[in-house]
Amino acid sequence: MNILFLIERYPGFGGIETVTAVLANYFLKLDYKVAIISHIQENEEVLKKLDKRVLLYRFTDKQNKFSLENQNYLKNVISEFQPNFIINQESYSGLFKLLIDIRNKASFKIITVEHNTPDARYKMLVNYLNNEKLEFTIKSVSKKLLQPVLLLNCFYKERKYHRDVYELSDEYILLSKQYISILKKIAGFKTVKKIKIIENPVTVESESICLESKEKTVLYLGRLDSDHKRVDRLLKIWSKTVVKAPEWKLVIVGDGPDKNQLKKIVLEYNILNVFFEGSQENVENYYSKASILCMTSNVEGFPLVIAEAMTFGCIPIIYNSFASASDIIEDKVNGRLIEPFKQHKFEEILLELIQKKDVRDMMAINAVEDCNRFSLENIGKKWQEIFKN
């Protein structure tokens, strides 16, 4: 069995890249041959976690990913590697378009994985338009007046996009059953026979958890991207919380395009006890020490970081802003779900968990016990079923 991952960025810092490496290593253990082809390469350090037997291919035209040069390169890779399955691991990148002319001339099957809610780009536009302050400039007023047109245009662009990628795919993977109805709506489908549900696997291994060794630390771990992750919201929440809990600290692990802007916010508003750690290879150390994980994203698919934090007894507090959130977290049992985007409520619940260690301990134990359902072994079996069928 030969498996080829098609991905926008590899190696890279994000959750999609991490899941790709973990699955690639897992498939190798099943005696499959595995390769990854990517358009962008960010950080070679990430390759330390990838089995050296995985073949790496890199598109040659970095400027125009849809060029004839890249299409011919992909044809050559397919001819050389002879994949049985191509896993389109990043549906929003559009790289699947390179497969259109090749599709009917080869025997491989295409499996598309949607790593976000199917209406992610539409929801992000809604959030952007609703949260933008109305200023009396031509640009600002025009956006407000044209909001219905912009949203309708975005909706139908997303409809065409999802129809195209669904039509090309033999199997279409969603990260939660909650996303089936969303896909039907955004794509205008009555039935979705190609759909399978496979969650992201936990990619870290934890030893026995010692709750007494937990520190007074709130953790954010992820990409520093304000359009998507909205870490600026977390900084505002923390600026209010730290005044009432000055012995606690907020540790931010990750990198991204908005890192400098976030640091500027901390300095400008003199927000206390915020530590930017950058991208880290050993994230397990941060999970094991932190007591609480916070996320304030606009939208997500199936955030790997939540299940991983739970594995280490690190309690997640997140906005209930995406459908799979309730698949992962049972509110008040193994974490907290907060109505989006109620900053005051988030502050209230975060402070409550900070002040009540007995509640934290109870939730931490529940989180550890619950997250086994996302183990690589359990998720891997679902992938094997797809390959067999």
Side-chain angles (χ1 to χ4, degrees):
M1 184 87 71
N2 294 355
I3 311 294
L4 175 63
F5 286 94
L6 177 67
I7 186 170
E8 172 78 5
R9 182 185 295 105
Y10 194 88
F13 297 111
I16 298 176
E17 294 87 349
T18 301
V19 168
T20 300
V22 168
L23 289 177
N25 292 343
Y26 175 80
F27 294 154
L28 279 172
K29 292 179 180 178
L30 300 176
D31 292 327
Y32 299 166
K33 284 182 64 178
V34 184
I36 299 172
I37 182 168
S38 62
H39 183 241
I40 299 170
Q41 297 79 42
E42 278 188 340
N43 190 339
E44 300 296 324
E45 286 293 310
V46 181
L47 294 176
K48 291 180 180 179
K49 295 187 176 181
L50 184 70
D51 192 301
K52 293 182 179 179
R53 292 174 294 169
V54 176
L55 300 176
L56 295 177
Y57 298 99
R58 296 172 176 185
F59 285 108
T60 50
D61 187 346
K62 301 299 182 184
Q63 301 302 315
N64 179 12
K65 62 184 173 185
F66 303 120
S67 68
L68 182 61
E69 179 183 334
N70 281 346
Q71 188 179 71
N72 288 332
Y73 181 74
L74 181 57
K75 285 180 182 178
N76 291 334
V77 169
I78 290 172
S79 177
E80 173 187 313
F81 184 67
Q82 291 292 306
N84 300 99
F85 294 93
I86 293 180
I87 299 178
N88 175 27
Q89 187 71 329
E90 203 165 356
S91 60
Y92 287 108
S93 73
L95 279 174
F96 75 92
K97 296 174 185 177
L98 294 173
L99 292 168
I100 293 174
D101 289 340
I102 309 171
R103 180 70 180 86
N104 296 324
K105 302 171 185 177
S107 59
F108 58 81
K109 301 292 185 181
I110 298 174
I111 302 173
T112 289
V113 184
E114 181 141 14
H115 280 276
N116 214 319
T117 172
D119 60 351
R121 287 189 288 207
Y122 180 80
K123 286 183 70 175
M124 288 175 71
L125 179 60
V126 170
N127 289 331
Y128 168 70
L129 292 173
N130 288 343
N131 292 329
E132 187 182 29
K133 292 181 179 179
L134 178 59
E135 299 173 351
F136 290 97
T137 63
I138 294 175
K139 183 178 179 181
S140 179
V141 172
S142 296
K143 281 183 179 178
K144 289 296 181 182
L145 291 175
L146 292 173
Q147 181 168 329
V149 176
L150 292 171
L151 290 174
L152 191 63
N153 181 58
C154 177
F155 182 86
Y156 281 107
K157 276 186 176 180
E158 287 301 294
R159 170 159 291 189
K160 182 180 185 308
Y161 189 88
H162 278 86
R163 282 175 174 267
D164 287 347
V165 70
Y166 185 88
E167 178 65 28
L168 185 69
S169 306
D170 294 283
E171 300 281 1
Y172 201 96
I173 309 299
L174 295 175
L175 301 178
S176 166
K177 63 181 182 296
Q178 307 291 343
Y179 291 145
I180 295 175
S181 60
I182 296 174
L183 177 64
K184 284 183 175 180
K185 181 178 180 180
I186 200 74
F189 291 146
K190 292 184 178 179
T191 60
V192 280
K193 295 180 180 179
K194 298 178 183 179
I195 295 298
K196 299 288 189 301
I197 306 302
I198 304 182
E199 303 87 349
N200 281 333
V202 170
T203 63
V204 295
E205 295 184 6
S206 66
E207 299 176 358
S208 58
I209 305 301
C210 178
L211 296 178
E212 296 306 316
S213 67
K214 288 289 186 180
E215 298 179 356
K216 295 180 178 180
T217 298
V218 174
L219 177 67
Y220 170 83
L221 197 153
R223 192 168 178 83
L224 304 184
D225 171 3
S226 291
D227 286 342
H228 182 188
K229 302 295 186 179
R230 291 301 304 268
V231 186
D232 57 313
R233 285 185 181 134
L234 179 55
L235 291 179
K236 291 178 182 178
I237 291 164
W238 183 250
S239 69
K240 304 291 186 182
T241 305
V242 70
V243 175
K244 300 173 183 177
E247 71 279 15
W248 280 68
K249 61 183 177 180
L250 171 63
V251 174
I252 297 176
V253 178
D255 210 334
D258 295 308
K259 178 175 69 175
N260 291 335
Q261 179 61 30
L262 293 169
K263 286 184 174 181
K264 184 178 178 182
I265 291 173
V266 171
L267 291 173
E268 183 176 346
Y269 293 95
N270 192 29
I271 305 175
L272 302 176
N273 300 355
V274 180
F275 300 88
F276 289 87
E277 299 289 297
S279 180
Q280 297 291 326
E281 183 179 346
N282 180 19
V283 295
E284 292 90 339
N285 186 48
Y286 290 93
Y287 286 135
S288 62
K289 291 180 179 178
S291 296
I292 299 168
L293 174 89
C294 287
M295 287 183 66
T296 51
S297 304
N298 272 338
V299 291
E300 291 283 352
F302 188 96
L304 195 61
V305 64
I306 298 176
E308 289 183 348
M310 290 166 62
T311 303
F312 287 82
C314 181
I315 304 160
I317 306 177
I318 66 172
Y319 280 130
N320 194 10
S321 57
F322 50 97
S324 69
S326 57
D327 284 350
I328 310 170
I329 296 174
E330 185 177 353
D331 190 35
K332 299 182 181 180
V333 177
N334 57 10
R336 294 304 311 266
L337 294 173
I338 300 170
E339 182 183 353
F341 294 97
K342 305 296 185 182
Q343 179 180 326
H344 179 72
K345 190 65 176 178
F346 202 117
E347 293 168 11
E348 178 186 316
I349 289 174
L350 175 56
L351 186 62
E352 179 183 333
L353 269 183
I354 283 175
Q355 294 175 338
K356 295 182 178 179
K357 186 177 183 303
D358 58 334
V359 176
R360 291 203 310 273
D361 288 350
M362 178 271 292
M363 287 190 183
I365 292 168
N366 291 339
V368 172
E369 292 176 350
D370 181 61
C371 64
N372 184 59
R373 58 196 166 111
F374 305 123
S375 69
L376 180 57
E377 180 183 359
N378 289 332
I379 301 304
K381 289 177 182 177
K382 296 184 180 182
W383 277 101
Q384 290 183 66
E385 284 300 313
I386 284 183
F387 295 147
K388 289 176 183 177
N389 293 333

